[in-house]
Amino acid sequence: MNDTHKMNDLKTVGEFGLIDMISRQVQADSSVCVGIGDDCAATTMPSGHVLLTTKDLLIEDVHFRRCWTSLYQLGRKSAAVNLSDIAAMGGSAHHLFLGVALPEDMALADIEQFTQGFLDEIAAAGATLCGGDTCRSTGSLIVSVTVQGSIAADQVVQRSGAQVGDHIYVSGTLGDSALALAQLQRGIIPDDYLAQRHHTPTPRLQLGQQLAERKLAKAMIDVSDGLCADLGHILEKSHCGALIDRRKIPLSVVTQQHLRQHPEDEELVLRGGEDYELLFCVSPQHGNAVADLAQQLELSLTDIGTIQDFAGGLQQLDSNGQRCTIHTQGFNHFG
Ligand code: ADP
Ligand code: MG
């Protein structure tokens, strides 16, 4: 066996060689007193803030296919989906913990690419990798990410604050990620725009923070399971109903073009997940403030409907302007 082969081999480098490789890719950060290499990380948090903590799992062949994504993209997405939860509370992200179960045959170069993607995504959020856990997987690649962030205690935006009459907004466009996935499942290669929306979603951290700081969002969630499912979570926690206008749901040009040719894919807009846009409820008098923020962030924020009484459930005006009830179920792992 030559040296190059040895260098590429996970077995030769071993757990600690790998952790060392990861830690050498990490930039120092002043909020980290003790980082990778001890029993725990020791970190500081902005004073007056409460700690936000969230975790997401990404499992091969459940959440992703290695033949559809690069390891760099997977690294970015593993970070992004977690950062998106911090955004949905209005917080800032600080410290991440990366758990990986690696199939023995994974090339070191792939792991390095994965880590680089992860680090690039968290660097864009101003956050740092502070620890994790590494072990061998007898089967698929498993990624488990924990992120800690923070927010001023009086600014936390929960799912439970929506009130009748509030306007329901969504950032960016919906359905792109689900359309990319549907195409991959049908053996079609999505175009660059759709692929990017699916493989490297953008966590809307700045938007979440601004909505919280300016006290514009009364309830907020990130759209990970689909519009109906995630709006359903807000409605359940806020004990409200809603009326959304199907014609107002923001769609990208690519998705609009696709739906003109394939109207049978319409459901992707309401039920497709993984857009990681923010869905939030705002008092009607704050419409102008939301428009100002959209302009400032150069991000579209679209009013798609209003919060209603609980009794009506979730209703939509369909593409013909007809009112009908819709079901809130989205993706369910055990469904
Ligand atoms: P312990 O036995 O105390 O769990 P480990 O040997 O698992 O410690 O980890 C050693 C150090 O490396 C710890 O600081 C841990 O947080 C860090 N670490 C392990 N795996 C990863 C990883 N995949 N990414 C970042 N840090 C990691
Ligand atoms: Mg450990």
Side-chain angles (χ1 to χ4, degrees), residues 40-107:
C40 287
T43 57
T44 59
M45 230 186 16
S47 62
H49 277 204
V50 290
L51 177 65
L52 301 172
T53 308
T54 177
K55 167 187 278 299
D56 262 314
L57 274 171
L58 286 93
I59 298 178
E60 185 174 0
D61 298 332
V62 177
H63 299 94
F64 64 90
R65 296 248 183 112
R66 263 200 277 170
C67 58
W68 288 345
T69 180
S70 73
L71 268 291
Y72 180 82
Q73 288 173 324
L74 183 65
R76 281 189 57 183
K77 187 165 183 173
S78 303
V81 303
N82 280 274
L83 295 170
S84 178
D85 283 319
I86 297 285
M89 300 296 284
S92 312
H94 306 308
H95 306 119
L96 287 98
F97 298 84
L98 173 60
V100 284
L102 304 168
E104 259 175 322
D105 62 354
M106 243 182 109

Coordinates of all heavy atoms in Angstrom, one line a residue, residues 40-107:
C40 N -15.8 18.8 27.2 CA -16.9 19.6 26.8 C -16.4 20.9 26.2 O -15.2 21.2 26.4 CB -17.7 20.1 28.0 SG -18.7 18.9 28.8
A41 N -17.2 21.6 25.4 CA -16.8 22.9 25.0 C -17.2 23.9 26.1 O -18.2 23.6 26.8 CB -17.6 23.2 23.7
A42 N -16.5 25.0 26.2 CA -16.9 26.0 27.1 C -17.0 27.3 26.3 O -16.1 27.7 25.6 CB -15.8 26.2 28.2
T43 N -18.2 27.9 26.3 CA -18.5 29.0 25.5 C -19.2 30.1 26.2 O -19.8 29.9 27.3 CB -19.4 28.6 24.3 OG1 -20.6 28.0 24.9 CG2 -18.8 27.5 23.4
T44 N -19.1 31.3 25.7 CA -19.9 32.4 26.3 C -21.0 32.8 25.4 O -21.1 32.5 24.2 CB -19.0 33.7 26.5 OG1 -18.5 34.1 25.3 CG2 -17.8 33.3 27.5
M45 N -22.0 33.6 26.0 CA -23.2 34.0 25.3 C -23.4 35.5 25.5 O -23.0 36.0 26.6 CB -24.4 33.2 25.9 CG -25.2 32.6 24.9 SD -26.7 31.8 25.5 CE -26.9 32.5 27.1
P46 N -24.0 36.2 24.6 CA -24.2 37.6 24.9 C -25.0 37.8 26.1 O -26.0 37.1 26.4 CB -25.0 38.1 23.6 CG -24.7 37.1 22.6 CD -24.5 35.8 23.3
S47 N -24.7 38.8 27.0 CA -25.4 38.9 28.2 C -26.8 39.4 28.0 O -27.1 40.1 27.1 CB -24.7 39.9 29.2 OG -24.6 41.2 28.6
G48 N -27.7 38.9 28.9 CA -29.1 39.3 28.8 C -29.9 38.4 27.8 O -31.1 38.6 27.5
H49 N -29.2 37.5 27.1 CA -29.8 36.6 26.2 C -30.2 35.3 26.8 O -29.6 34.8 27.8 CB -28.8 36.3 25.0 CG -28.8 37.4 24.0 ND1 -28.5 37.2 22.7 CD2 -29.2 38.7 24.0 CE1 -28.6 38.3 22.0 NE2 -29.0 39.2 22.8
V50 N -31.2 34.7 26.2 CA -31.5 33.3 26.6 C -30.9 32.4 25.5 O -30.7 32.8 24.4 CB -33.1 33.0 26.7 CG1 -33.6 33.7 27.9 CG2 -33.8 33.4 25.4
L51 N -30.6 31.1 25.9 CA -29.9 30.2 25.0 C -31.0 29.5 24.2 O -32.0 29.0 24.7 CB -29.2 29.1 25.9 CG -28.5 28.0 25.2 CD1 -27.3 28.4 24.4 CD2 -28.0 27.0 26.3
L52 N -30.7 29.4 22.9 CA -31.6 28.6 22.0 C -30.8 27.4 21.6 O -29.7 27.5 21.2 CB -31.9 29.4 20.7 CG -32.6 30.8 20.9 CD1 -32.7 31.5 19.5 CD2 -34.0 30.6 21.4
T53 N -31.4 26.2 21.7 CA -30.7 25.0 21.3 C -31.6 24.1 20.4 O -32.8 24.0 20.7 CB -30.3 24.2 22.5 OG1 -29.6 25.0 23.4 CG2 -29.4 23.0 22.1
T54 N -31.1 23.6 19.3 CA -31.9 22.7 18.5 C -31.0 21.7 17.8 O -29.8 21.9 17.7 CB -32.7 23.6 17.4 OG1 -33.4 22.7 16.5 CG2 -31.7 24.4 16.6
K55 N -31.6 20.6 17.4 CA -30.9 19.5 16.8 C -31.7 18.9 15.6 O -32.9 18.9 15.7 CB -30.7 18.4 17.8 CG -30.2 17.1 17.2 CD -30.1 16.0 18.2 CE -28.9 16.0 19.1 NZ -27.6 15.8 18.3
D56 N -31.0 18.6 14.6 CA -31.6 17.9 13.4 C -30.7 16.7 13.0 O -29.5 16.8 13.0 CB -31.8 18.8 12.2 CG -33.2 19.4 12.2 OD1 -34.1 18.7 12.3 OD2 -33.3 20.7 12.0
L57 N -31.4 15.6 12.6 CA -30.7 14.5 12.1 C -30.8 14.5 10.5 O -31.9 14.8 10.0 CB -31.4 13.2 12.5 CG -31.1 12.6 13.9 CD1 -32.0 11.5 14.2 CD2 -29.6 12.0 13.9
L58 N -29.8 14.1 9.9 CA -29.8 13.8 8.4 C -29.3 12.4 8.1 O -28.1 12.1 8.4 CB -29.0 14.8 7.6 CG -29.6 16.3 7.6 CD1 -29.0 17.1 8.7 CD2 -29.2 16.9 6.2
I59 N -30.2 11.6 7.7 CA -29.8 10.2 7.5 C -29.9 9.8 6.0 O -30.8 10.1 5.3 CB -30.8 9.3 8.3 CG1 -30.6 9.6 9.8 CG2 -30.5 7.8 8.1 CD1 -31.5 8.9 10.7
E60 N -28.8 9.1 5.6 CA -28.7 8.7 4.2 C -29.9 7.9 3.8 O -30.3 7.0 4.6 CB -27.4 7.9 4.0 CG -27.1 7.6 2.6 CD -25.7 6.9 2.4 OE1 -25.0 6.8 3.4 OE2 -25.4 6.6 1.3
D61 N -30.4 8.1 2.7 CA -31.6 7.4 2.1 C -32.9 7.7 2.8 O -33.9 7.1 2.4 CB -31.3 5.9 2.0 CG -30.2 5.6 1.0 OD1 -29.9 6.4 0.1 OD2 -29.5 4.6 1.2
V62 N -32.8 8.5 3.8 CA -34.1 9.1 4.4 C -34.2 10.5 4.1 O -35.2 11.0 3.5 CB -34.1 8.9 6.0 CG1 -35.4 9.5 6.6 CG2 -34.0 7.4 6.3
H63 N -33.1 11.3 4.3 CA -33.1 12.7 4.1 C -32.3 13.1 2.8 O -32.4 14.2 2.3 CB -32.4 13.5 5.2 CG -33.2 13.3 6.5 ND1 -32.9 12.4 7.4 CD2 -34.3 14.0 7.0 CE1 -33.7 12.5 8.5 NE2 -34.6 13.4 8.2
F64 N -31.4 12.2 2.4 CA -30.5 12.6 1.3 C -30.1 11.3 0.6 O -30.1 10.2 1.2 CB -29.3 13.4 1.7 CG -28.4 12.7 2.6 CD1 -27.3 12.0 2.1 CD2 -28.5 12.8 4.0 CE1 -26.4 11.4 2.9 CE2 -27.6 12.1 4.8 CZ -26.6 11.4 4.3
R65 N -29.6 11.4 -0.7 CA -29.0 10.3 -1.4 C -27.6 10.8 -1.8 O -27.5 11.9 -2.3 CB -29.8 10.0 -2.6 CG -31.2 9.5 -2.4 CD -31.3 8.0 -2.8 NE -32.6 7.6 -2.6 CZ -33.4 7.2 -3.6 NH1 -32.9 7.2 -4.8 NH2 -34.6 6.8 -3.4
R66 N -26.6 9.9 -1.5 CA -25.3 10.4 -1.8 C -25.0 10.5 -3.3 O -24.1 11.2 -3.7 CB -24.2 9.4 -1.2 CG -23.7 10.0 0.2 CD -22.4 9.3 0.6 NE -22.6 8.0 1.2 CZ -21.7 7.2 1.5 NH1 -20.4 7.5 1.2 NH2 -21.9 6.1 2.1
C67 N -25.9 9.8 -4.1 CA -25.7 10.0 -5.6 C -26.3 11.2 -6.1 O -26.1 11.6 -7.3 CB -26.3 8.7 -6.3 SG -28.0 8.5 -6.0
W68 N -27.1 12.0 -5.3 CA -27.7 13.2 -5.8 C -27.1 14.4 -5.3 O -27.4 15.5 -5.7 CB -29.2 13.2 -5.3 CG -30.1 12.3 -6.1 CD1 -29.8 11.6 -7.2 CD2 -31.4 11.9 -5.7 NE1 -30.9 10.8 -7.6 CE2 -31.9 11.0 -6.6 CE3 -32.3 12.2 -4.6 CZ2 -33.1 10.4 -6.6 CZ3 -33.5 11.6 -4.5 CH2 -33.9 10.7 -5.5
T69 N -26.2 14.3 -4.3 CA -25.6 15.5 -3.7 C -24.1 15.4 -3.6 O -23.6 14.2 -3.4 CB -26.2 15.8 -2.3 OG1 -25.6 16.9 -1.7 CG2 -26.0 14.6 -1.3
S70 N -23.4 16.5 -3.6 CA -22.0 16.4 -3.3 C -21.8 16.4 -1.8 O -22.7 16.9 -1.1 CB -21.2 17.6 -4.0 OG -21.5 18.8 -3.3
L71 N -20.7 15.9 -1.3 CA -20.5 16.0 0.1 C -20.4 17.4 0.6 O -20.8 17.7 1.8 CB -19.3 15.1 0.5 CG -19.5 13.6 0.8 CD1 -20.2 13.5 2.1 CD2 -20.3 12.9 -0.3
Y72 N -19.8 18.3 -0.2 CA -19.7 19.7 0.2 C -21.1 20.3 0.4 O -21.4 20.9 1.4 CB -19.0 20.5 -0.9 CG -18.8 21.9 -0.6 CD1 -17.8 22.4 0.3 CD2 -19.8 22.9 -1.1 CE1 -17.8 23.7 0.6 CE2 -19.7 24.2 -0.8 CZ -18.7 24.6 0.1 OH -18.6 26.0 0.4
Q73 N -22.0 20.0 -0.6 CA -23.4 20.5 -0.5 C -24.1 19.9 0.8 O -24.8 20.5 1.5 CB -24.2 20.1 -1.7 CG -23.9 20.8 -3.0 CD -24.6 20.2 -4.2 OE1 -24.8 19.0 -4.3 NE2 -25.0 21.1 -5.1
L74 N -23.8 18.6 1.0 CA -24.5 17.9 2.2 C -24.0 18.6 3.5 O -24.8 18.8 4.4 CB -24.1 16.4 2.2 CG -24.8 15.7 3.3 CD1 -26.3 15.6 3.1 CD2 -24.2 14.2 3.3
G75 N -22.7 18.9 3.5 CA -22.2 19.6 4.7 C -22.9 21.0 4.9 O -23.3 21.3 6.0
R76 N -23.0 21.7 3.8 CA -23.7 23.0 3.9 C -25.2 22.8 4.4 O -25.7 23.5 5.2 CB -23.7 23.7 2.6 CG -22.3 24.4 2.3 CD -22.3 25.3 1.1 NE -23.3 26.3 1.2 CZ -23.6 27.2 0.2 NH1 -22.9 27.1 -0.9 NH2 -24.5 28.1 0.4
K77 N -25.9 21.8 3.8 CA -27.3 21.6 4.1 C -27.4 21.2 5.6 O -28.4 21.6 6.3 CB -27.9 20.6 3.1 CG -29.4 20.5 3.3 CD -30.1 19.8 2.2 CE -31.6 19.8 2.3 NZ -32.3 19.2 1.1
S78 N -26.5 20.3 6.0 CA -26.6 19.8 7.4 C -26.5 21.0 8.4 O -27.2 21.0 9.4 CB -25.4 18.9 7.7 OG -25.4 17.8 6.8
A79 N -25.7 22.0 8.1 CA -25.7 23.2 8.9 C -26.9 24.1 8.7 O -27.6 24.5 9.6 CB -24.4 24.0 8.6
A80 N -27.3 24.3 7.4 CA -28.4 25.2 7.1 C -29.7 24.8 7.7 O -30.4 25.7 8.2 CB -28.5 25.3 5.6
V81 N -30.0 23.6 7.7 CA -31.4 23.2 8.2 C -31.5 23.4 9.7 O -32.5 23.7 10.3 CB -31.7 21.7 7.9 CG1 -31.7 21.5 6.4 CG2 -30.8 20.7 8.6
N82 N -30.3 23.3 10.4 CA -30.3 23.6 11.8 C -30.3 25.1 12.1 O -31.0 25.6 13.0 CB -29.0 23.0 12.5 CG -29.2 21.5 12.7 OD1 -29.7 21.2 13.8 ND2 -28.8 20.7 11.8
L83 N -29.5 25.9 11.3 CA -29.5 27.3 11.5 C -30.9 27.9 11.2 O -31.3 28.9 11.8 CB -28.5 27.9 10.5 CG -27.0 27.5 10.8 CD1 -26.1 28.0 9.6 CD2 -26.5 28.1 12.1
S84 N -31.6 27.3 10.3 CA -33.0 27.8 10.0 C -33.9 27.7 11.2 O -34.8 28.6 11.3 CB -33.5 26.9 8.8 OG -34.8 27.3 8.5
D85 N -33.7 26.8 12.1 CA -34.5 26.7 13.3 C -34.2 27.9 14.2 O -35.1 28.4 14.9 CB -34.3 25.4 14.0 CG -35.1 24.2 13.3 OD1 -36.2 24.5 12.9 OD2 -34.5 23.1 13.2
I86 N -32.9 28.3 14.3 CA -32.6 29.4 15.1 C -33.2 30.7 14.5 O -33.7 31.5 15.2 CB -31.0 29.6 15.1 CG1 -30.4 28.4 15.8 CG2 -30.6 30.9 15.8 CD1 -30.5 28.3 17.3
A87 N -33.2 30.8 13.1 CA -33.8 31.9 12.4 C -35.3 32.0 12.8 O -35.8 33.1 13.0 CB -33.6 31.7 10.9
A88 N -35.9 30.8 12.8 CA -37.4 30.8 13.1 C -37.8 31.3 14.5 O -38.9 31.5 14.7 CB -37.9 29.4 12.8
M89 N -36.8 31.4 15.4 CA -37.1 31.9 16.7 C -36.7 33.4 16.8 O -36.9 34.0 17.8 CB -36.3 31.1 17.8 CG -36.6 29.7 17.9 SD -38.3 29.3 18.4 CE -38.2 29.6 20.2
G90 N -36.0 33.9 15.7 CA -35.5 35.2 15.7 C -34.1 35.4 16.2 O -33.6 36.5 16.4
G91 N -33.4 34.3 16.5 CA -32.1 34.3 17.1 C -30.9 34.4 16.2 O -31.0 34.4 15.0
S92 N -29.7 34.5 16.9 CA -28.4 34.5 16.2 C -27.8 33.1 16.6 O -27.9 32.7 17.7 CB -27.5 35.6 16.7 OG -28.1 36.8 16.8
A93 N -27.1 32.6 15.6 CA -26.5 31.3 15.8 C -25.0 31.5 16.3 O -24.3 32.4 15.8 CB -26.4 30.5 14.5
H94 N -24.6 30.7 17.3 CA -23.2 30.8 17.8 C -22.4 29.6 17.7 O -21.4 29.6 17.0 CB -23.3 31.2 19.3 CG -24.1 32.5 19.6 ND1 -23.9 33.6 18.9 CD2 -25.1 32.7 20.4 CE1 -24.8 34.5 19.3 NE2 -25.5 34.0 20.3
H95 N -22.9 28.5 18.3 CA -22.0 27.3 18.5 C -22.7 26.0 18.0 O -23.8 25.8 18.3 CB -21.6 27.1 20.0 CG -21.0 28.4 20.5 ND1 -21.6 29.1 21.6 CD2 -19.9 29.1 20.1 CE1 -20.9 30.2 21.8 NE2 -19.9 30.2 21.0
L96 N -21.9 25.3 17.2 CA -22.5 24.0 16.6 C -21.7 22.8 17.1 O -20.5 22.9 17.3 CB -22.5 24.1 15.1 CG -23.6 25.1 14.6 CD1 -23.1 26.4 14.2 CD2 -24.4 24.5 13.4
F97 N -22.4 21.7 17.1 CA -21.8 20.4 17.5 C -22.2 19.4 16.4 O -23.4 19.3 16.1 CB -22.4 20.0 18.9 CG -21.9 21.0 19.9 CD1 -22.7 22.2 20.2 CD2 -20.8 20.8 20.6 CE1 -22.3 23.1 21.1 CE2 -20.3 21.8 21.6 CZ -21.1 22.9 21.8
L98 N -21.2 18.7 15.9 CA -21.4 17.9 14.7 C -21.2 16.4 15.1 O -20.1 16.0 15.4 CB -20.5 18.4 13.6 CG -20.3 17.5 12.4 CD1 -21.7 17.5 11.6 CD2 -19.3 18.1 11.4
G99 N -22.3 15.6 15.0 CA -22.2 14.2 15.2 C -22.2 13.5 13.9 O -23.1 13.8 13.0
V100 N -21.2 12.6 13.6 CA -21.2 11.9 12.4 C -21.0 10.4 12.6 O -20.1 10.0 13.4 CB -20.2 12.4 11.3 CG1 -20.6 13.7 10.7 CG2 -18.8 12.6 12.0
A101 N -21.8 9.6 12.0 CA -21.5 8.1 11.9 C -21.1 7.8 10.5 O -22.0 8.0 9.6 CB -22.8 7.3 12.3
L102 N -19.9 7.4 10.3 CA -19.3 7.3 8.9 C -19.2 5.9 8.5 O -18.5 5.1 9.2 CB -17.9 8.0 8.9 CG -17.9 9.4 9.4 CD1 -16.4 9.9 9.6 CD2 -18.5 10.4 8.4
P103 N -19.7 5.6 7.3 CA -19.4 4.2 6.7 C -17.9 4.1 6.5 O -17.2 5.0 6.1 CB -20.1 4.3 5.4 CG -21.0 5.4 5.4 CD -20.5 6.4 6.4
E104 N -17.4 2.9 6.9 CA -15.9 2.7 6.9 C -15.2 3.0 5.5 O -14.1 3.4 5.5 CB -15.6 1.2 7.2 CG -15.2 1.1 8.6 CD -15.0 -0.4 8.9 OE1 -15.8 -1.2 8.5 OE2 -14.1 -0.7 9.7
D105 N -16.0 2.8 4.4 CA -15.4 3.0 3.1 C -15.4 4.5 2.6 O -15.0 4.8 1.5 CB -16.1 2.1 2.1 CG -17.6 2.5 1.9 OD1 -18.1 3.4 2.7 OD2 -18.3 1.9 1.0
M106 N -15.9 5.4 3.5 CA -15.9 6.8 3.0 C -14.5 7.3 2.8 O -13.7 7.2 3.7 CB -16.7 7.6 4.0 CG -17.9 8.2 3.4 SD -18.8 9.3 4.6 CE -18.5 10.9 3.9
A107 N -14.3 8.0 1.7 CA -13.0 8.6 1.5 C -12.7 9.8 2.4 O -13.7 10.6 2.6 CB -12.9 9.0 0.0

